[in-house]
Amino acid sequence: MHIPDNYLSPVTCGTLFAAVTPIWTIAVIKVKKQIKKHHETLPMIGIASSLAFLIMMFNLPIPGGTTAHAVGGTLLSILIGPWATCLAITVTLLLQAFLFGDGGILSFGVNVMNMAVIMPFVGYWIYKIGKKFKHEKLGVILGSYIGINSAALLAGIELGIQPLIAHTNNGSPLYCPYGLNITVPAMLLAHLLVAGWVEVIFTLLVFKFVNKVSPTKIYDNSNNANNIHWIYLLIGLALISPLGLIAKNTAFGEWNNQELQHMLIKQHLGSQVPEGMLNGFHFKALFSDYTINGLPISIGYILSAITAILVFLLLVRGLKHETK
C-alpha cells in the first residue's frame, strides 16, 4: 500500500499533500491537549510508531503473485486515539520513505492520507459504534477489517485514475499504466482476502494483550512494568521480522521500472514504461528495502527494525524534554 514515487502525477501528489496538511495541524492541536490530560500519550506515540513500523514489515503472499501487509491503523486508534495515531503513522511513513525507501517522497502525502488518516479514523469510528452497542470485540474486528480495506480502495482509485488525468497527446499513460478496472480489484482482493484478516487477527491479539497488562485504561502506561511489556513486544516483533521476507514478490503498484516493464510485456500491454515514470523523481534511500550492505538480508531486516524503534523512542524522549 506504500505508493512509490512516479506512479502518481505531481497534481495528485500535490493535491493529497495539501489535503493532509490541515489534518496534521488539527492533529497536533488535539494531541497537545491529550498529552496535558494523559501524560503517557507522548511515549505511547513512540511505541505506536514502532508498532506500526514493525507490523508493516511482515509482508504476506497474495494469490496472483503480489504481496500485501497489515498496518495496525485501527489498533493504534484504539490504543491512543485517532488523532495521535495520525501523527504516529505519519512519523512511521516518513522514516520508511527517507531511510528505507519504502513509499515515495513526493507521494508521502498520499500514503499519509491512506494509512494515517482514512484507515485509523474509519476503523476507530466503527470500533466506537461496536463499543456503544456493547459489542466491543465485534467493533474491533469490523473496524480493523473495514479500515484497512477503505485505505486499499482509496489507493486503488488513486492509481487507477492516472491514465485518465495524466497522459500524452496520443493517450498513452504518463504514470501508473493500469486503469480503475485493474487497480481497484487488485488492491481490494489482496486486502479483502488476506491482509484484512491478518489485520483483524493482529489487532485482536494486541488488543487482548493491552487489556491484560493495563485493563483499566488501554493507553495508560503509568508504571514501568507496563512499559517493559511494550518493550518486550517490540523487541520480539523485531527479532521475528525476517518472516516478512517469506513473501518474495513485490506488492501491486510498488514495482520498480524493470519489474513493471516485465509485467507489461507479460500481460501484452506493451514494452515501454510510461514516460513520467522513467523521467520522474528517483530517491536512493540509505537502507533501501531494509538491507544493509555486507550483511545477510535477514540481519539487515532485524537491524532496520531495531533502528526504527530506537529512532522513534529517542524522538519521543526529545519531545518529552521540549514539553517540560
Side-chain angles (χ1 to χ4, degrees):
M1 202 182 296
H2 290 72
I3 299 178
D5 284 324
N6 307 320
Y7 267 81
L8 305 177
S9 69
V11 172
T12 305
C13 294
T15 300
L16 270 295
F17 188 88
V20 299
T21 299
I23 298 174
W24 282 326
T25 303
I26 296 171
V28 169
I29 294 171
K30 287 186 174 291
V31 170
K32 281 183 176 179
K33 293 180 180 179
Q34 185 175 332
I35 290 171
K36 289 181 179 179
K37 187 177 180 180
H38 300 289
H39 297 293
E40 290 302 314
T41 296
L42 188 55
M44 277 302 296
I45 289 176
I47 290 172
S49 297
S50 302
L51 192 56
F53 185 95
L54 293 168
I55 292 171
M56 287 189 263
M57 293 186 77
F58 291 89
N59 294 308
L60 309 162
I62 302 296
T66 64
T67 63
H69 58 75
V71 176
T74 300
L75 168 65
L76 301 186
S77 292
I78 296 170
L79 296 177
I80 58 175
W83 292 106
T85 296
C86 176
L87 295 183
I89 297 183
T90 293
V91 174
T92 299
L93 294 173
L94 190 66
L95 187 70
Q96 287 175 330
F98 279 94
L99 192 58
F100 301 104
D102 195 3
I105 305 299
L106 299 181
S107 59
F108 174 66
V110 179
N111 290 323
V112 167
M113 178 62 77
N114 299 344
M115 287 182 275
V117 177
I118 297 300
M119 186 184 305
F121 279 94
V122 169
Y124 186 72
W125 178 69
I126 294 171
Y127 162 74
K128 292 294 286 185
I129 292 176
K131 187 175 181 181
K132 180 180 179 181
F133 289 98
K134 312 299 182 183
H135 294 288
E136 187 174 28
K137 185 178 289 188
L138 181 61
V140 171
I141 293 170
L142 293 178
S144 54
Y145 185 75
I146 296 174
I148 193 172
N149 279 289
S150 298
L153 173 61
L154 183 58
I157 292 172
E158 291 156 353
L159 291 167
I161 63 172
Q162 297 309 306
L164 299 175
I165 65 173
H167 51 75
T168 62
N169 291 332
N170 65 6
S172 298
L174 285 170
Y175 301 99
C176 177
Y178 298 111
L180 290 165
N181 62 319
I182 295 177
T183 60
V184 171
M187 291 300 297
L188 277 182
L189 286 175
H191 291 82
L192 286 170
L193 297 178
V194 181
W197 294 110
V198 175
E199 181 91 2
V200 168
I201 293 169
F202 196 89
T203 301
L204 279 173
L205 289 175
V206 178
F207 181 77
K208 291 181 178 179
F209 164 80
V210 174
N211 273 314
K212 182 178 180 180
V213 300
S214 184
T216 58
K217 200 68 174 178
I218 203 162
Y219 58 83
D220 178 15
N221 285 278
S222 55
N223 62 68
N224 291 330
N226 286 341
N227 287 327
I228 292 297
H229 280 108
W230 280 113
I231 297 301
Y232 286 160
L233 176 63
L234 295 178
I235 292 175
L237 288 173
L239 292 177
I240 65 171
S241 62
L243 290 174
L245 296 168
I246 294 175
K248 297 291 186 181
N249 295 320
T250 304
F252 181 88
E254 297 183 26
W255 307 287
N256 60 35
N257 287 343
Q258 291 73 29
E259 290 174 317
L260 178 60
Q261 184 178 40
H262 176 74
M263 294 287 294
L264 293 173
I265 293 172
K266 183 179 179 181
Q267 296 161 353
H268 306 290
L269 296 175
S271 59
Q272 297 299 318
V273 174
E275 182 182 334
M277 300 186 70
L278 285 174
N279 303 321
F281 176 75
H282 298 282
F283 174 78
K284 180 64 176 177
L286 183 61
F287 303 117
S288 183
D289 295 325
Y290 308 102
T291 59
I292 299 176
N293 289 336
L295 292 177
I297 187 170
S298 58
I299 300 300
Y301 228 62
I302 293 172
L303 292 179
S304 295
I306 293 174
T307 298
I309 295 171
L310 292 175
V311 168
F312 293 135
L313 297 183
L314 288 173
L315 177 62
V316 166
R317 186 174 182 179
L319 290 174
K320 193 173 183 179
H321 286 299
E322 289 292 327
T323 57
K324 286 184 176 179

